Amino acid sequence: MSMHWGRKAAPTTESIMSVRTRFAPSPTGFLHVGGARTALFCYLFARRHGGDFVLRIEDTDRERSTQESVDAILHGMDWLGLDYDEGPVYQTQRFDRYKEVIQDLLDRDLAYYCYCSRERLDALREEQKAAGLKPRYDGRCADGVASPPEGVQPVVRFRNPKDGVVQFNDAVRGEVTISNTELDDLIIARADGTPTYNFTVVVDDLDMNITHVVRGDDHVNNTPRQINIMRALGASEPQFAHLPMILGPDGQRLSKRHGAVSVLQFRDDGYLPDALLNYLVRLGWSHGDQEVFSRAEMIDLFALDGVNKAAATFDMDKLGWLNQHYLKESAPESLTSAFEYQLQQMAVSLANGPDLGEVIVAQRERAQTLREMAEQSVFYFQEPDGFDEGAAKKHLRPVAAEPLLALRARLTDVSDWQAETLGVIVNDTVEALELKLGKLAQPLRVALSGRAATPGIDITLALVGKERTLARIDKALAFIKERAKQA
């Protein structure tokens, strides 16, 4: 795979012909909803403009970064189908490059060594806060240290411009202006030599020729610092687009306390990746009043000027509605693998069970998620644990014995065990007994599934199968008989 970030000199401006976006998560946790939306917007923008989408793993925080989180990010991207053109690129594999650029800045007096202790910096911060000032480094080491203290490993600070402003046009927020007097001299390398986030991001974005940086608006305050470093390196900044945050129903920033925020948790809860992507694209972006978008439509229609400035609220009910829409509209065969996964998670054996596609067709009008569908479908594959108490009390009464016996006798000789044939037999039975359909169908549902709600009784009979149907009717009749004894 061709990479665009292997140059040895400091990053420079190049003629960039195509759009290049990047998604750059830190592997300190799982891929969450906010990150997934950012990845989606980067992916859509690159695809619409025929450009490249790069995945970069920002793993310089060695204490908090874990392989488990890396794997969760990669699996989440794969499940969502957000295919990247380059990567994953790991920052920890680029330390030599960062050291090279830091040395270049030191050589050009655009960075300097700082020997200030943590104690001094903490005391300075407290003094400034007590005086009502914004805490910031005071530049004590900016002009050099005549006698560096022995045994102290210095940090490296970027020499931020002392006057002027940083101005950039954000594709979402519009023009942003920050005075350089608001910014202090940022640490770009820690005492152990490891580079810091705001520095590595700049080097990576320039080396990788990123044209559009699309990220959450929690990074807005970092942007002026990064732009100053870019300019010090002789480069022009990319187009920035800072996305509004996602809020929970309580108006607070979306977090673990709001429930399932890990992308893979949505998978395990039975949501479809296309439904989640469709929901995420509408969290902060709109195209008229349209709610449902195919992936092709998202790519064709997505534009940064359609992103809202206001925060978006995550609504599980709306996601559920969308997911059910996709369950109804998707080809059954496209859902069987995910449906099988749900059943396997519930330790349901699929041996001798009905065709999964047929079960999906029978159940998808009745469930919002594949997990819910699986829970409602267990009885097709294995004996119910028992009868729902309320359903049995209402429907498995002595009066139900005669129609169940009559139906069982008719079913015994059926060789063409198909829904259409079975539906005719059920109707013939209730007509012969001069009953309403419910007087047979409801006890039969409880006998077959353990509860009173199932798809059409003809489809239910067909999916349960002949042998299991007869055995479960017998079990229900025994229950009715025992109940009569106790009456």
Side-chain angles (χ1 to χ4, degrees), residues 395-409 429 433 435 439-440 443-444 473 476-481 484:
H395 299 295
L396 295 186
R397 297 182 296 150
V399 69
E402 181 185 1
L404 285 174
L405 278 167
L407 178 65
R408 190 196 188 289
T429 303
L433 296 175
L435 297 173
K439 295 298 183 181
L440 173 56
L444 183 56
I473 291 176
L477 288 168
F479 178 89
I480 292 170
K481 185 176 181 180

Side-chain angles (χ1 to χ4, degrees), residues 304-370:
L304 290 173
D305 59 12
V307 177
N308 304 321
K309 295 181 181 179
T313 301
F314 197 89
D315 184 344
M316 287 296 296
D317 290 337
K318 190 169 183 181
L319 174 59
W321 173 84
L322 260 178
N323 200 67
Q324 186 169 41
H325 169 83
Y326 277 84
L327 286 178
K328 291 177 181 178
E329 298 298 321
S330 299
E333 57 270 20
S334 71
L335 303 176
T336 53
S337 178
F339 184 47
E340 181 177 356
Y341 171 81
Q342 292 295 331
L343 290 166
Q344 289 173 339
Q345 293 298 106
M346 299 167 63
V348 175
S349 172
L350 305 184
N352 303 317
D355 179 79
L356 292 181
E358 293 180 7
V359 177
I360 290 170
V361 171
Q363 294 280 42
R364 60 184 176 182
E365 296 283 343
R366 310 172 63 84
Q368 282 200 336
T369 67
L370 285 170

Side-chain angles (χ1 to χ4, degrees), residues 327-461:
L327 286 178
K328 291 177 181 178
E329 298 298 321
S330 299
E333 57 270 20
S334 71
L335 303 176
T336 53
S337 178
F339 184 47
E340 181 177 356
Y341 171 81
Q342 292 295 331
L343 290 166
Q344 289 173 339
Q345 293 298 106
M346 299 167 63
V348 175
S349 172
L350 305 184
N352 303 317
D355 179 79
L356 292 181
E358 293 180 7
V359 177
I360 290 170
V361 171
Q363 294 280 42
R364 60 184 176 182
E365 296 283 343
R366 310 172 63 84
Q368 282 200 336
T369 67
L370 285 170
R371 167 64 67 85
E372 186 181 354
M373 183 186 292
E375 290 171 346
Q376 294 175 1
S377 302
V378 173
F379 75 92
Y380 292 124
F381 302 91
Q382 63 189 36
E383 188 80 15
D385 292 335
F387 301 117
D388 175 79
E389 185 176 349
K393 184 176 181 180
K394 183 176 181 180
H395 299 295
L396 295 186
R397 297 182 296 150
V399 69
E402 181 185 1
L404 285 174
L405 278 167
L407 178 65
R408 190 196 188 289
R410 289 171 180 258
L411 293 176
T412 303
D413 297 327
V414 175
S415 58
D416 181 26
W417 197 266
Q418 301 294 326
E420 185 176 354
T421 302
L422 297 167
V424 171
I425 292 173
V426 171
N427 286 324
D428 287 348
T429 303
V430 295
E431 286 182 12
L433 296 175
E434 297 182 347
L435 297 173
K436 291 185 177 179
L437 179 60
K439 295 298 183 181
L440 173 56
Q442 288 306 100
L444 183 56
R445 282 192 169 91
V446 179
L448 296 177
S449 70
R451 57 181 185 268
T454 71
I457 196 61
D458 53 346
I459 296 171
T460 301
L461 282 165

Side-chain angles (χ1 to χ4, degrees), residues 7-11 94-108 111 188 199 202-203 206-207 229 233:
R7 294 168 307 187
K8 294 301 181 183
R94 288 174 44 76
F95 277 175
D96 288 346
R97 175 63 175 147
Y98 303 138
K99 289 178 181 178
E100 182 181 32
V101 180
I102 288 171
Q103 189 60 53
D104 173 71
L105 291 172
L106 288 167
D107 292 345
R108 294 190 289 129
I188 58 176
F199 175 74
V202 169
V203 177
L206 296 181
D207 276 356
I229 297 173
L233 294 171

